[in-house]
Amino acid sequence: MANIQTCPWDAAEHLETDEDMAAYLEAALEEGDPGLIFAVLGDIARAKGMTKIARNAGLGRESLYKALSSDGNPRFATVLKVVQTLGLQLHAAPARGSANR
């Protein structure tokens, strides 16, 4: 069996535009996994500069890193504050395949 070599991959290094960031978050929201959503917000915050985002959101950098990890559990108010500070918006739409009630 051949040796497989891998290299680290960091999504934050590939998030160059606001549109990239919004599409990345939208894909995570569609998955519906809170841990994934927190991790994606963390990737976006790192792409924009975690220290700057933490300061602008009125949060500590270390606590923001922890909250936006895949096993983080931030309060919803924190999530909303971070999303706003990142220059993004959350949107609601009817679920696909849902019947009108």
Side-chain angles (χ1 to χ4, degrees):
M1 180 181 243
N3 287 338
I4 298 174
Q5 292 187 352
T6 62
C7 59
W9 188 83
D10 185 357
E13 295 174 3
H14 303 279
L15 298 170
E16 297 176 357
T17 66
D18 289 341
E19 290 77 18
D20 292 343
M21 295 172 193
Y24 187 40
L25 178 57
E26 185 67 30
L29 290 168
E30 287 178 7
E31 288 296 317
D33 176 0
L36 176 62
I37 294 166
F38 302 150
V40 164
L41 286 171
D43 290 341
I44 296 169
R46 286 187 300 104
K48 288 198 169 215
M50 186 67 83
T51 301
K52 176 180 146 189
I53 297 302
R55 183 177 349 106
N56 291 345
L59 303 166
R61 189 178 61 84
E62 290 301 319
S63 63
L64 189 57
Y65 268 111
K66 183 178 178 182
L68 298 182
S69 68
S70 60
D71 59 343
N73 192 20
R75 293 181 11 181
F76 190 63
T78 300
V79 172
L80 291 177
K81 189 181 294 187
V82 169
V83 168
Q84 181 181 17
T85 302
L86 291 172
L88 298 170
Q89 294 179 336
L90 298 180
H91 294 274
R96 293 183 192 146
S98 67
N100 291 335
R101 295 181 190 219

